[in-house]
Amino acid sequence: MQTELSNRLGVEHAVFGFTPFPAVAAAISRAGGFGVLGAVRYTAPDDLKRDLDWIEAHVGDRPYGLDVVMPAKKVEGVSEADVEAMIPEGHRQFVRDTLAGHGVPELAEGEASGWRITGWMEQVARTQLDVAFDYPIRLLANALGSPPADVVARAHERDVLVAALAGSARHARKHREAGIDVVVAQGYEAGGHTGEIATMVLTPEIVEAVGPLPVLAAGGIGSGQQVAAALALGAQGVWLGSVWLTTTEADLHAPALTRKLLAAGSGDTVRSRALTGKPARQLRTEWTDAWDDPAGPGTLPMPLQGLLVAEAVSRIQKYEVEPLLGTPVGQIVGRMNSERSVQAVFDDLTRGFERAVDRINRIAGRSAR
Amino acid sequence: MQTELSNRLGVEHAVFGFTPFPAVAAAISRAGGFGVLGAVRYTAPDDLKRDLDWIEAHVGDRPYGLDVVMPAKKVEGVSEADVEAMIPEGHRQFVRDTLAGHGVPELAEGEASGWRITGWMEQVARTQLDVAFDYPIRLLANALGSPPADVVARAHERDVLVAALAGSARHARKHREAGIDVVVAQGYEAGGHTGEIATMVLTPEIVEAVGPLPVLAAGGIGSGQQVAAALALGAQGVWLGSVWLTTTEADLHAPALTRKLLAAGSGDTVRSRALTGKPARQLRTEWTDAWDDPAGPGTLPMPLQGLLVAEAVSRIQKYEVEPLLGTPVGQIVGRMNSERSVQAVFDDLTRGFERAVDRINRIAGRSAR
């Protein structure tokens, strides 16, 4: 499964795997794909350094990348405390009431909130980059708009390709103007931040808008058939995130969450502002329902919502409060029905891809090979 | 582009085209696809008879089908007048105010409303079937649930395949239990009534749920690449509706609407209850915005909403009141940028399909043909 982009990066299969877990990222690259470590949760540079060291020791000289979250709009001279002060008391009370209604325990004294919004702030992302550029990363992806020009320049100096997510052709054109090398077309059905245009429509639209710039298709892809479909749409590869969450190498720190993911159907996600203030697809839970309920206070804009709920989300995860427990995940969750190794997922993808190609050749009346 | 289903129906290409226009249906079948005439607007049996006669005279012995709208739930002994009486006066006033706010003229005295909801009632659909079964239709599709058992039996007696639309695997299984022959997997991005699961996820899910029953993929398909993608997902064909609306054979009776369709981007549709009371994708207009506005009265359940707005929609269309003027259409509207003949659309689909197959073979490292 080779395209110009996969050849350029020296990987066997044009399958890009985004994951917050170093063990998953390394396993994806070892399996012949391109693992991309999500850096957003690393608020301490040493933690990121430790995990990149681990990848280096386990990736076997295969290429890999890093994904950061740099907001497109720069907010100058505003501290986390300034932002905290903008959160209305009524919203804070709603968080306390919702948690109390489900008997969610407090964190212990001095215990840090595991889920932090600070990774979303540009300064934190820049610190992550300072660490990452000491490692031989081959691709730097940004989940919110194009990264700043100096970051793009710094990446290019190091021969690091820059990728950015786009939910519309307009976003994709902006990325091209900003000197981005790879556009990830993130369809409606994808996990995390997503627009309203589905992968089937979005992928060719973005390919036509920015070609010959390479485009990766994201959203709704978890089988070899879906990989074949995305490549038929003109993508130079696929970008998969959700499907790795239930691999044996993933460590969600919450067995109840893994169980929920394995049990969920494709209709059990919702595109909600509950987590960050921008629409992000995630498991539908009583927590997202509370925020999406017209009778409630509603969500706050980014970055306020993320700050508001950070500690609550940590508590829900730590105590595995099932009705409230969720995670960003795409509609493909309906297909994630067993815990398997990354290699097993990969074998399934490549075999399914070959079968889909056989099928399409039969339909086209061609004898292939 | 041949599958078991297209061979069974004796068509050259596994492309099914749904359209309310006889000239489009006949042109699709003549071009080597399978034209399906939407019957919902035919409240008078003689009108349907006249148009089926026209198709017979112009289809050149190629096969074609009919699409009806039979609600899954039967409502016994309720007349249109009974249903009309259930509509709150506040909602009627909202319609009058919204039309007045845009200066929409009244219909002339005695002038019938062109857009009728009565086609949605089972008795009307049964009258349509009485007419249609006198013609050599090869497929009968139903847009709302499985048709009643006696209708399925009547179709099968005449060697007519029965198709039904589904937005989830659960719907699709119900169709199989009801003896349906073909399931149309209608993705989120499709025009008209649609669920929330996108084509990329829905198609393989339904194929796995009801296989070996043939599945057609619908939603987001308007190019040969998208046809190839849908077939890679396991579909035995594609079901296209929106793309024919801007063909030269289509007659929208409103040049302003054609202009709006040609100008619209993929982000200019909305899944709204404004037209029928159930979520249906359509052009986003000031009319849909008014119904979707939390400050307004909101929509009524099916069939009340359809009855409530029928005359208003006719007036908006007749007088081409641009800000309010819309139509059911899918996200593929972003690709409908020129008026072309059905044959030109078809040539584009088949050529694009071949190119997509070439591409996927190159990526798979195969030398095809």
Side-chain angles (χ1 to χ4, degrees), chain B residues 106-182:
Chain B
E106 303 268 351
L107 294 179
E109 190 83 39
E111 192 174 13
S113 161
W115 201 94
R116 301 288 297 171
I117 192 65
T118 41
W120 297 75
M121 302 191 114
E122 182 174 334
Q123 203 41 58
V124 177
R126 285 186 175 274
T127 311
Q128 292 164 351
L129 290 178
D130 289 338
V131 172
F133 280 136
D134 282 342
Y135 292 80
I137 60 169
R138 294 295 309 280
L139 180 129
L140 172 69
N142 189 35
L144 281 183
S146 312
D150 67 297
V151 172
V152 175
R154 209 171 146 194
H156 286 168
E157 272 166 31
R158 283 163 180 76
D159 207 21
V160 172
L161 293 182
V162 181
L165 270 66
S168 70
R170 190 175 57 82
H171 289 161
R173 279 190 212 99
K174 277 181 151 181
H175 289 329
R176 186 181 53 188
E177 283 157 26
I180 300 307
D181 307 293
V182 179

Side-chain angles (χ1 to χ4, degrees), chain A residues 258-265 268 333 336-337:
Chain A
T258 300
R259 283 196 302 273
K260 282 186 93 164
L261 286 169
L262 293 172
D268 292 330
V333 71
M336 293 155 51
N337 301 322

Side-chain angles (χ1 to χ4, degrees), chain B residues 22-63:
Chain B
V24 175
I28 291 167
S29 290
R30 277 202 317 274
F34 189 93
V36 180
L37 180 69
V40 71
R41 70 189 174 97
Y42 295 96
T43 49
D46 282 350
D47 291 346
L48 179 57
K49 205 185 274 281
R50 181 201 61 216
D51 282 358
L52 288 174
D53 282 337
W54 193 94
I55 290 180
E56 278 294 312
H58 292 85
V59 78
D61 287 330
R62 303 291 182 96

Side-chain angles (χ1 to χ4, degrees), chain A residues 245-250 258-259 262 336-341:
Chain A
L245 289 174
T246 48
T247 56
T248 45
E249 289 90 341
T258 300
R259 283 196 302 273
L262 293 172
M336 293 155 51
N337 301 322
S338 64
E339 280 190 90
R340 295 180 300 165
S341 68

Side-chain angles (χ1 to χ4, degrees), chain B residues 38-356:
Chain B
V40 71
R41 70 189 174 97
Y42 295 96
T43 49
D46 282 350
D47 291 346
L48 179 57
K49 205 185 274 281
R50 181 201 61 216
D51 282 358
L52 288 174
D53 282 337
W54 193 94
I55 290 180
E56 278 294 312
H58 292 85
V59 78
D61 287 330
R62 303 291 182 96
Y64 63 96
L66 193 81
D67 180 278
V68 295
V69 185
M70 290 194 132
K73 281 183 204 144
K74 194 163 181 167
V75 188
E76 297 276 5
V78 179
S79 71
E80 187 167 336
D82 294 335
V83 181
E84 287 272 4
M86 294 165 73
I87 298 173
E89 177 52 27
H91 280 76
R92 294 196 185 277
Q93 191 59 47
F94 182 74
V95 171
R96 285 191 291 268
D97 291 348
T98 308
L99 295 176
H102 285 86
V104 182
E106 303 268 351
L107 294 179
E109 190 83 39
E111 192 174 13
S113 161
W115 201 94
R116 301 288 297 171
I117 192 65
T118 41
W120 297 75
M121 302 191 114
E122 182 174 334
Q123 203 41 58
V124 177
R126 285 186 175 274
T127 311
Q128 292 164 351
L129 290 178
D130 289 338
V131 172
F133 280 136
D134 282 342
Y135 292 80
I137 60 169
R138 294 295 309 280
L139 180 129
L140 172 69
N142 189 35
L144 281 183
S146 312
D150 67 297
V151 172
V152 175
R154 209 171 146 194
H156 286 168
E157 272 166 31
R158 283 163 180 76
D159 207 21
V160 172
L161 293 182
V162 181
L165 270 66
S168 70
R170 190 175 57 82
H171 289 161
R173 279 190 212 99
K174 277 181 151 181
H175 289 329
R176 186 181 53 188
E177 283 157 26
I180 300 307
D181 307 293
V182 179
V183 176
V184 180
Q186 168 95 338
Y188 161 85
E189 54 269 66
H193 291 128
T194 167
E196 296 199 9
I197 306 172
T199 298
M200 183 69 90
V201 173
L202 185 68
T203 307
E205 200 163 277
I206 288 189
V207 168
E208 284 161 33
V210 302
L213 216 60
V215 173
L216 300 176
I221 306 172
S223 75
Q225 291 180 311
Q226 288 158 332
V227 172
L231 296 174
L233 293 173
Q236 282 211 21
V238 290
W239 176 272
L240 278 62
S242 303
V243 76
W244 318 109
L245 290 174
T246 48
T247 56
T248 45
E249 288 90 342
D251 188 0
L252 289 174
H253 297 290
L257 182 54
T258 300
R259 283 196 303 273
K260 283 186 91 166
L261 287 169
L262 293 172
S266 57
D268 292 331
T269 72
V270 64
R271 198 168 152 268
S272 167
R273 297 178 187 267
L275 203 56
T276 67
K278 280 188 189 285
R281 186 170 300 287
Q282 51 200 286
L283 277 187
R284 182 179 169 183
T285 65
E286 291 186 29
W287 180 253
T288 62
D289 284 352
W291 288 106
D292 296 335
D293 187 347
T299 54
L300 297 172
M302 182 181 276
L304 302 186
Q305 182 70 15
L307 278 170
L308 171 63
V309 303
E311 198 224 11
V313 170
S314 290
R315 286 165 60 187
I316 292 165
Q317 288 186 348
K318 171 165 185 183
Y319 298 107
E320 301 185 45
V321 186
E322 290 219 30
L324 306 178
L325 189 61
T327 180
V329 71
Q331 291 186 338
I332 201 67
V333 71
R335 182 174 284 281
M336 293 155 50
N337 301 322
S338 65
E339 280 190 89
R340 295 180 300 166
S341 68
V342 167
Q343 183 67 55
V345 170
F346 229 89
D347 290 345
D348 190 50
L349 287 175
T350 51
R351 276 196 300 257
F353 172 74
E354 295 296 331
R355 277 196 307 270

